[in-house]
Amino acid sequence: MHFAIRARQARYGRKPVKPERILVISIFGIGDAIMQTPVIELLRMRYPSAHLTVATRKDNREVFVHNPDVDEIIIYHLEDFWRISFKELAQTIRIMLHSKGYDLALLDVTGGTIRGKIAAILFGARYIVADGLTAPESNFLADELVSCREKLHVVERNVSILENFGGGVPSVSLNSLGPRVLYTDREEKAVEELLCRHRIKPQTLIMAIHVGSGGTLGIHKRWPIKRFLELEAGLMKIFPEGRIILFRGPGESDIDFTPFTEKGCILVEDFSLLEIAALLHRSSIFIGNDSGLAHLAASQDVPSVILFGPTDKQEVRPYGKHVSVLCHPMNCQPCWGLPEYLQACQGKVDCLEFLETEVVLKAVRNCEVSIK
């Protein structure tokens, strides 16, 4: 295998000065995909005439579908090889065989895993630039490694990779390169229909809450439901004329929303990602766990209070100007992904259990909440 890689690098391993075709790999969750949008914007600024392709899983397509910096979206199914159907495998192989190749593949924190590097090779990338920290055991698959400081936020690390790749990056503020997800009038219409159906007037203050967190281990990133029920009562005291909207996403069927709906909260469970983005944009505040929806709220500049537990808030907090991150400090944080994960609290996730409702309500009071 090493010989094959060296042969490929000997043939193609020359740094492109003006790449005409660029590939970005996006293989993880929605939040990770959203955090890739700033580096995509920076790529477009640096290479304005290049054809920019994003290869991503089907769940992430809506993150990029209306992005003006993306010329092409490829849906492929190698992110979970053992679970894909024969049809999906055949579709992926066909896409790869018909790929015209790429002058440059930029593998940031999200795409720099061994699966991302292999995908870039299979898609015909001639020069692969990767983050040297993401999966060092597979660094031999890349043509150039860019090492960034550890403990940088993922967005800053992604941007740093491109900045350190050969120079020539326009000097811009990270604030102007915040994550963004764009929607259309169709999604706005769906939101207006929902609000009309529930008799929510245009000047009503909307509070959006996400009590879940999807994914295989998402249950360990959830603030206790009893706390959210206390939060609902506290919010209605602060904003008595407001309305609360809750979201149920994939992997959250185990959550009982009845105590919330009995109190007049609205449950949204059949909206697309872009319809949720439009609804979040209409909301005055978002409160939720570390999840893809938290990153989606940040992409819409919604004042947000995000509740963190075992994950690293320094690296993966939602990146936005109006985001407040709360967690109960413990010596074992962050433990996400470590061998001793949740060992100390035996699966109860003490760092979330000990986060008091009043602390969250205080953060809400400090937010600049206004009616939209």
Side-chain angles (χ1 to χ4, degrees):
M1 181 178 179
H2 278 272
F3 175 78
I5 295 300
R6 289 183 181 276
R8 188 197 70 82
Q9 291 174 341
R11 181 178 181 184
Y12 297 120
R14 293 181 295 275
K15 180 182 292 189
V17 178
K18 292 184 179 180
E20 296 180 0
R21 292 176 58 80
I22 300 175
L23 177 68
V24 174
I25 303 285
S26 180
I27 59 175
F28 289 119
I30 289 170
D32 297 287
I34 292 171
M35 288 190 288
Q36 286 180 290
T37 57
V39 80
I40 288 174
E41 184 177 354
L42 196 55
L43 272 169
R44 174 58 65 210
M45 294 172 66
R46 182 173 179 181
Y47 305 112
S49 61
H51 184 91
L52 203 156
T53 299
V54 174
T56 188
R57 47 195 289 177
K58 57 186 176 183
D59 295 342
N60 294 347
R61 179 181 178 275
E62 288 187 286
V63 172
F64 306 107
V65 69
H66 297 303
N67 191 318
D69 301 319
V70 176
D71 297 302
E72 181 183 14
I73 300 173
I74 295 175
I75 305 299
Y76 80 112
H77 306 277
L78 292 183
E79 77 280 352
D80 196 355
F81 184 82
W82 301 110
R83 296 184 183 180
I84 63 176
S85 66
F86 177 78
K87 180 180 179 182
E88 290 172 330
L89 177 60
Q91 288 174 340
T92 301
I93 293 173
R94 179 178 59 81
I95 289 170
M96 288 179 170
L97 289 176
H98 286 81
S99 172
K100 297 178 181 178
Y102 297 90
D103 305 307
L104 171 66
L106 183 76
L107 305 185
D108 56 14
V109 178
T110 302
T113 64
I114 185 170
R115 287 178 294 174
K117 290 167 184 167
I118 290 174
I121 292 171
L122 293 176
F123 275 113
R126 297 179 178 87
Y127 196 81
I128 299 173
V129 177
D131 170 26
L133 295 176
T134 299
E137 72 281 358
S138 62
N139 280 346
F140 70 95
L141 296 172
D143 299 296
E144 181 175 337
L145 298 173
V146 179
S147 295
C148 308
R149 287 190 297 108
E150 294 189 42
K151 293 301 179 181
L152 278 178
H153 190 277
V154 168
V155 169
E156 296 167 355
R157 200 162 134 197
N158 287 346
V159 171
S160 181
I161 293 168
L162 184 55
E163 286 178 336
N164 289 305
F165 168 59
V169 178
S171 178
V172 293
S173 167
L174 271 172
N175 288 334
S176 66
L177 287 175
R180 59 174 179 165
V181 177
L182 304 179
Y183 54 85
T184 68
D185 292 343
R186 192 196 72 80
E187 286 79 35
E188 287 187 342
K189 183 179 179 181
V191 169
E192 292 306 318
E193 290 175 353
L194 172 77
L195 300 182
C196 182
R197 189 161 62 247
H198 290 278
R199 299 179 181 177
I200 298 179
K201 298 177 181 179
Q203 295 303 310
T204 301
L205 187 143
I206 296 176
M207 295 165 277
I209 297 180
H210 186 209
V211 306
S213 183
T216 307
L217 297 174
I219 189 172
H220 299 309
K221 296 194 289 183
R222 297 176 184 174
W223 200 39
I225 288 293
K226 63 180 181 180
R227 299 283 194 200
F228 275 110
L229 285 167
E230 293 170 357
L231 176 69
E232 182 274 338
L235 288 173
M236 294 313 298
K237 289 181 181 179
I238 300 172
F239 307 109
E241 302 300 321
R243 295 293 301 274
I244 292 177
I245 293 179
L246 299 107
F247 302 96
R248 169 184 271 161
E252 297 172 358
S253 58
D254 59 307
I255 301 175
D256 181 12
F257 286 89
T258 305
F260 296 97
T261 55
E262 286 179 345
K263 293 184 177 184
C265 298
I266 300 167
L267 178 61
V268 174
E269 51 187 338
D270 57 353
F271 262 27
S272 69
L273 182 72
L274 293 183
E275 288 170 339
I276 293 174
L279 181 51
L280 287 171
H281 190 83
R282 169 69 175 79
S283 302
S284 297
I285 190 168
F286 172 84
I287 307 155
N289 302 309
D290 170 26
S291 69
L293 256 63
H295 291 274
L296 192 61
S299 77
Q300 303 304 311
D301 281 336
V302 182
S304 302
V305 177
I306 311 302
L307 317 176
F308 263 65
T311 44
D312 192 336
K313 65 176 183 178
Q314 187 173 343
E315 294 187 9
V316 298
R317 69 186 186 279
Y319 201 85
K321 293 176 285 188
H322 308 292
V323 177
S324 175
V325 174
L326 302 179
C327 68
H328 183 82
M330 298 185 71
N331 292 333
C332 53
Q333 284 176 317
C335 67
W336 191 266
L338 299 177
E340 61 272 22
Y341 174 58
L342 296 181
Q343 198 173 73
C345 47
Q346 300 178 342
K348 291 189 299 181
V349 200
D350 287 345
C351 50
L352 284 168
E353 290 277 347
F354 296 154
L355 181 59
E356 297 289 342
T357 308
E358 188 52 45
V359 173
V360 180
L361 287 170
K362 182 179 179 181
V364 170
R365 293 188 188 98
N366 290 336
C367 289
E368 296 182 7
V369 179
S370 58
I371 296 174
K372 293 186 179 181

